[in-house]
Amino acid sequence: MPPIPSASNRILNTTLAQRVMSADEAAALIHPGSQIGMSGFTGSGYPKAVPMALARRIGEAHQNGQSFKVNILTGASTGPELDGALAKVDGVDLRLPYQGDPDMRKRINAGEINYVDMHLGEVAEFVEYGFAGKIDLAIIEVTSILEDGRIVPSSSVGNNSTWIDCADKIILEVNSAQPADLEGMHDVWYDLGLPPHRKPIPIVRADQRIGSPYLKVPFEKVIGVVCTNGPDRATPFKAPDEASRRIAGHLIEFLEWEVKKGRLPHNLLPIQSGVGNIANAVLFGLQESRFEAMTAFTEVIQDGMIQLLETGKMCSLSATAFSLSPEGIDHIMPNIGKYRDQIVIRQQEISNHPEIIRRLGVIAMNAMIEADIYGNVNSTHIMGSAIQNGIGGSGDFTRNGYLSIMMAPSTAQKGSISTIVPMVSHVDHTEHDLSVIVTDQGLADLRGLSPTKRANVIIENCSHPDFRPALRHYFTRATQFSVGKHTPLLLSEALSWHRRYVLSGNMLEQSNHIESEWLAPLAAVGP
């Protein structure tokens, strides 16, 4: 790779060039209790230098017995220089709308950080409506500042335009590690408006551009410009394992059937794919499928989507951010300019907007932690109470997609946990929103099925054989002894599988601390 130019060469506006300062000087302008909107979405385009300097300042304050915490609002997850650094020094009072950092997660689950998990498509309007209170400061990573003051966004747009509009003051980080050729790839729309004057969004194709490739930043708000040269967080992806390959196979076979039945066109409808190893396995499966000329209207662009572009299997990608592996960054970013006509990076209130998702007929494919036999899905919490990351944008797409698909291996923790359970321990996506559940065992098409028919299909097609007899036994007794027969439920047992795991380490293992109610004979069970 050629040497990375200095960020100072990216600041071409003379007015803002006079406001260049160090990260420590910028952090000194931040007050305890500040509510800060920061750029960043799924590990890309987040500020790196100022949050690290702020963390040092907070750590010093705590050592001197002073209280110092801030509220952090972002687009989605960031990186260790932001979430990780601030969590380690106990510098965060409130965090929203999504996180993925282990130190941040640990403090949230310990009750030390107030965490508001939100649909990512609703964050911008939540702030613009005033529901979040005052935004004191925006800290935004950008690629460059042009002579006339136009701002070239970074590798994500996220909620940046909202933070800039709503914040009292702004600090810009100009990151020379971001390719200058990102210029022209973004599409920021400023005409949505607020109720009762909200306008329709004029997007009728996934690749359509309706806005500006630049961010509008009022000069009078900018209190500092910091030069940085740091890479985005890059998450390595594992090679697809057998379970992921089987999930991808079931899903592609289903999509082929939908085309055959005339419910999908031959090039499918625009694809949305969540982040992770299963999602990448599906993308690799699409690479080997018969589908051609595909499009994507999604949140993040992963390695697999770029490969689909490069081979011609996909024509265009629309998202709000990149989310690449280290290999993907090395391969893609030095040549990003050649994808400019095929990739659109939008703000997340557009990329995740229900109006567009429903109009385009997006095929939504997301990962889950568990599903119950009626099709309710938990995608955020372990054993009901410990947050993993957050709902992200999966709700935006699942609720409004043409096909809403949730995927997971049929077991977790070396087979001690069943992904299919009598009742989920936390509900993120209700039975009303799902079309399809897929595991390595098979696929359950839930469209048009009543709850009891759903239960049979999910148990027989998606559950692991080790857990299937217990699920059948539970459902049989529930249909006999539940108060109502529409959605049969045994209140005393619905969450007993989770309790059994917490006490014994296995959802099926008998323990001295818990009665194995699902093994009780039918005659011994009353209503």
Side-chain angles (χ1 to χ4, degrees):
M1 293 180 61
I4 298 174
S6 168
S8 61
N9 297 330
R10 302 278 189 95
I11 306 169
L12 304 179
N13 179 269
T14 55
T15 300
L16 293 184
Q18 296 174 5
R19 300 178 193 176
V20 172
M21 61 181 63
S22 70
D24 287 326
E25 290 172 323
L29 301 174
I30 301 173
H31 305 294
S34 293
Q35 183 147 271
I36 308 172
M38 295 205 189
S39 63
F41 195 104
T42 318
S44 63
Y46 59 94
K48 301 163 179 71
V50 177
M52 289 283 286
L54 177 60
R56 290 192 294 271
R57 185 178 170 215
I58 291 175
E60 292 170 359
H62 289 175
Q63 289 177 0
N64 294 326
Q66 301 169 352
S67 175
F68 197 147
K69 290 188 177 185
V70 294
N71 295 344
I72 300 296
L73 292 69
T74 63
S77 59
T78 62
E81 304 93 330
L82 198 165
D83 274 331
L86 290 171
K88 284 179 180 177
V89 297
D90 192 21
V92 180
D93 182 46
L94 172 70
R95 180 71 172 88
L96 69 82
Y98 185 91
Q99 57 76 42
D101 182 84
D103 292 300
M104 183 70 72
R105 182 185 305 120
K106 182 178 180 180
R107 286 193 177 272
I108 291 169
N109 285 323
E112 298 168 356
I113 294 176
N114 296 298
Y115 178 53
V116 180
D117 185 22
M118 293 182 64
H119 296 293
L120 297 186
E122 298 179 357
V123 179
E125 62 185 33
F126 186 83
V127 172
E128 291 160 359
Y129 296 168
F131 299 161
K134 179 183 176 183
I135 306 298
D136 299 296
L137 177 68
I139 305 178
I140 309 296
E141 181 184 274
V142 303
T143 298
S144 59
I145 303 173
L146 304 183
E147 292 92 337
D148 58 6
R150 289 177 298 169
I151 306 293
V152 179
S154 184
S155 50
S156 67
V157 175
N159 287 318
N160 291 357
S161 58
T162 296
W163 305 149
I164 290 168
D165 288 346
C166 296
D168 291 343
K169 299 176 182 179
I170 299 168
I171 294 172
L172 299 175
E173 281 198 11
V174 182
N175 188 356
S176 60
Q178 297 291 358
D181 282 345
L182 283 170
E183 183 178 356
M185 188 170 284
H186 308 88
D187 187 66
V188 185
W189 197 51
Y190 285 96
D191 296 328
L192 188 57
L194 299 177
H197 307 294
R198 208 163 176 85
K199 299 177 182 177
I201 303 170
I203 292 178
V204 295
R205 299 189 323 273
D207 63 347
Q208 187 175 352
R209 298 173 188 268
I210 61 173
S212 168
Y214 304 102
L215 289 168
K216 300 175 183 178
V217 178
F219 284 12
E220 65 273 12
K221 288 187 176 184
V222 179
I223 60 173
V225 178
V226 177
C227 298
T228 66
N229 185 346
D232 283 335
R233 185 199 81 205
T235 303
F237 291 119
K238 301 176 183 176
D241 58 16
E242 179 59 26
S244 297
R245 286 192 294 268
R246 291 182 68 179
I247 289 170
H250 297 318
L251 181 52
I252 290 168
E253 182 180 0
F254 169 75
L255 295 175
E256 290 173 344
W257 172 253
E258 291 298 292
V259 171
K260 183 178 179 180
K261 296 294 289 184
R263 292 189 285 257
L264 285 175
H266 290 283
N267 65 335
L268 302 180
L269 290 167
I271 292 169
Q272 178 265 334
S273 176
V275 178
N277 295 313
I278 293 177
N280 269 285
V282 172
L283 294 175
F284 291 138
L286 288 171
Q287 180 70 52
E288 300 173 356
S289 73
R290 67 186 69 182
F291 303 119
E292 305 282 346
M294 292 179 285
T295 62
F297 190 86
T298 188
E299 294 175 296
V300 293
I301 295 171
Q302 302 173 79
D303 296 34
M305 287 187 174
I306 298 292
Q307 292 178 18
L308 289 168
L309 271 187
E310 291 178 336
T311 59
K313 300 283 285 186
M314 186 166 279
C315 299
S316 65
L317 303 174
S318 172
T320 193
F322 290 92
S323 182
L324 303 174
S325 69
E327 297 78 15
I329 288 178
D330 291 342
H331 170 67
I332 295 162
M333 283 305 181
N335 306 297
I336 195 65
K338 74 178 185 179
Y339 304 105
R340 190 177 293 113
D341 294 335
Q342 295 172 288
I343 294 177
V344 186
I345 305 296
R346 313 179 189 274
Q347 71 256 53
Q348 70 191 67
E349 69 176 324
I350 300 298
S351 69
N352 290 43
H353 202 288
E355 174 188 337
I356 309 171
I357 294 168
R358 188 162 292 195
R359 178 183 300 135
L360 298 181
V362 172
I363 299 172
M365 301 181 292
N366 291 284
M368 62 183 183
I369 291 174
E370 61 182 1
D372 65 33
I373 59 176
Y374 298 115
N376 300 293
V377 166
N378 167 21
S379 63
T380 61
H381 285 74
I382 305 300
M383 295 297 133
S385 60
I387 189 74
Q388 183 63 21
N389 296 323
I391 194 169
S394 60
D396 299 320
F397 287 92
T398 299
R399 179 69 181 88
N400 299 286
Y402 179 86
L403 286 172
S404 298
I405 301 163
M406 282 286 175
M407 307 172 289
S410 57
T411 63
Q413 294 296 309
K414 299 180 180 180
S416 62
I417 292 176
S418 174
T419 299
I420 307 300
V421 293
M423 173 181 273
V424 288
S425 57
H426 176 91
V427 181
D428 294 293
H429 313 282
T430 74
E431 61 183 286
H432 311 289
D433 297 337
L434 241 63
S435 307
V436 172
I437 290 177
V438 194
T439 72
D440 52 303
Q441 301 300 316
L443 181 146
D445 183 353
L446 307 178
R447 293 172 296 179
L449 300 184
S450 66
T452 54
K453 290 186 179 297
R454 281 175 168 238
N456 280 310
V457 171
I458 292 171
I459 292 170
E460 299 305 322
N461 291 8
C462 298
S463 66
H464 192 277
D466 289 350
F467 292 91
R468 197 170 296 151
L471 287 167
R472 288 171 178 161
H473 192 65
Y474 169 84
F475 180 60
T476 297
R477 289 180 295 111
T479 56
Q480 293 182 10
F481 301 120
S482 62
V483 175
K485 307 305 180 185
H486 176 257
T487 306
L489 179 72
L490 296 178
L491 294 175
S492 63
E493 292 187 43
L495 294 176
S496 65
W497 289 35
H498 301 86
R499 182 169 181 265
R500 185 177 300 118
Y501 177 80
V502 169
L503 293 175
S504 70
N506 195 309
M507 281 189 170
L508 286 185
E509 182 178 327
Q510 295 189 50
S511 165
N512 293 330
H513 301 288
I514 188 166
E515 179 183 358
S516 296
E517 294 144 317
W518 64 270
L519 287 173
L522 284 175
V525 182

